[in-house]
Amino acid sequence: MKPRLVLLFLLLSMLTFSCIPYKEISIEYYDPPEVVLPVDDSSSILVVSNLYHSKRLNIKDSLDWSLDSVAASEAVNAMANIIEQSPYFSGMRVNSTAVYRQDTSMVIMPLSWSNIDNLSERNNSARLIISMEYIKVKPYSDYYPFWRDDIKNFYGYLSVPVYCFWRVYNVENRKIEDAYLYKDTLDWDAEDWVEVLPGKQLPGIFEAAAYAGASSGEVTANRYASTWQKDVRILYVKGSEEMEKAAQLAQEGKWMEAASIWQELLKTAKPGLRAKAAFNLALANEMFGNFRVSADWLDEAEELNPTLDGLDAYKSIISKRMKANNNINK
């Protein structure tokens, strides 16, 4: 490509990007959890792993028991870590322990309230006990040869179905706040010129069992514990000097001042710019936690310009946040 053509391409690229009327900004937020547990700053939480004694009838039984035990340990660790880091449980003490059960694992009976009281008394008078009451992992793997360009290759995989049952006990009011069965299958695969086996190209079976247990703990913990989420939003910055000034204020965290400018633009600007101002007002109200008002401003933006960039995606986001916060009255 000749130098003049390169320069022309660069100029066109700069003009194209300069015509984009918005910029993406990063935000952080957290919403209430799916299951809201009764907590206060003075209470503590105990995470319990229920283990069943091994029958140890043969090597297979011993291996199954060991795999389940590894998965149980990782599930409880993951649960405790997420609970401890969640802003929803800020200031609360989180402990973990294990109990051995004598009953059969075939029917997952709740812990007796006398056992719950005993666990609470030995662990900082915990008011909530999150109990992992059963876990089963069943790793299986296989491989087979195939030909590619007259060269023999091998494909192998490792799958780990995991079943994990949790209960949440409220010690004070003798209530089971939640019961949840986690089911999933974790998969790994690989190709090689030699047999593909666990512990070589694939995770070892104990490592895979640990991953499965941790996944159970993380997914279940997210039902109870909000964590900070990082996301990106569109902010319209161009169209007039007022839009640029308001956008600068918004990026400095001065959303109220920016919103007052967008409100004025809605009275005086042309429809295209008014749509962008309404979109930005939806963003400002999300920052304030007014999700219902945010949705209304997006409807206003859609009436002014149905093809506005980012409109449909943002309406979906606000709908999800409004549902998560049960904020229909705002």
Side-chain angles (χ1 to χ4, degrees), residues 48-52 72 98-101 111 131-135:
V48 176
S49 173
N50 289 250
L51 302 176
Y52 295 86
V99 297
Y100 281 93
R101 297 179 63 152
L111 290 168
S131 177
M132 191 226 68
E133 309 212 325
Y134 173 80
I135 191 166

Side-chain angles (χ1 to χ4, degrees), residues 146-173:
F146 67 96
W147 294 88
R148 179 183 290 141
D149 299 329
D150 297 327
I151 298 175
K152 189 176 184 180
N153 291 267
F154 290 86
Y155 170 82
Y157 66 91
L158 170 63
S159 292
V160 185
V162 53
Y163 302 84
C164 190
F165 188 72
W166 300 79
R167 285 191 179 98
V168 181
Y169 298 87
N170 188 323
V171 180
E172 285 191 333
N173 66 10

Side-chain angles (χ1 to χ4, degrees), residues 106-177:
M106 299 300 293
V107 179
I108 310 170
M109 299 296 295
L111 290 168
S112 68
W113 287 109
S114 60
N115 284 336
I116 291 295
D117 289 337
N118 186 39
L119 286 167
S120 174
E121 290 171 5
R122 291 184 306 169
N123 293 272
N124 297 317
S125 299
R127 295 177 59 186
L128 285 175
I129 294 179
I130 302 176
S131 177
M132 191 226 68
E133 309 212 325
Y134 173 80
I135 191 166
K136 171 58 66 177
V137 293
K138 293 184 177 181
Y140 62 91
S141 65
D142 201 356
Y143 70 87
Y144 59 84
F146 67 96
W147 294 88
R148 179 183 290 141
D149 299 329
D150 297 327
I151 298 175
K152 189 176 184 180
N153 291 267
F154 290 86
Y155 170 82
Y157 66 91
L158 170 63
S159 292
V160 185
V162 53
Y163 302 84
C164 190
F165 188 72
W166 300 79
R167 285 191 179 98
V168 181
Y169 298 87
N170 188 323
V171 180
E172 285 191 333
N173 66 10
R174 292 292 198 265
K175 179 182 177 182
I176 295 177
E177 297 285 350

Side-chain angles (χ1 to χ4, degrees), residues 85-112:
Q85 295 170 13
S86 170
Y88 185 74
F89 295 99
S90 177
M92 298 185 63
R93 292 169 294 179
V94 181
N95 299 314
S96 60
T97 190
V99 297
Y100 281 93
R101 297 179 63 152
Q102 302 298 326
D103 56 331
T104 175
S105 61
M106 299 300 293
V107 179
I108 310 170
M109 299 296 295
L111 290 168
S112 68

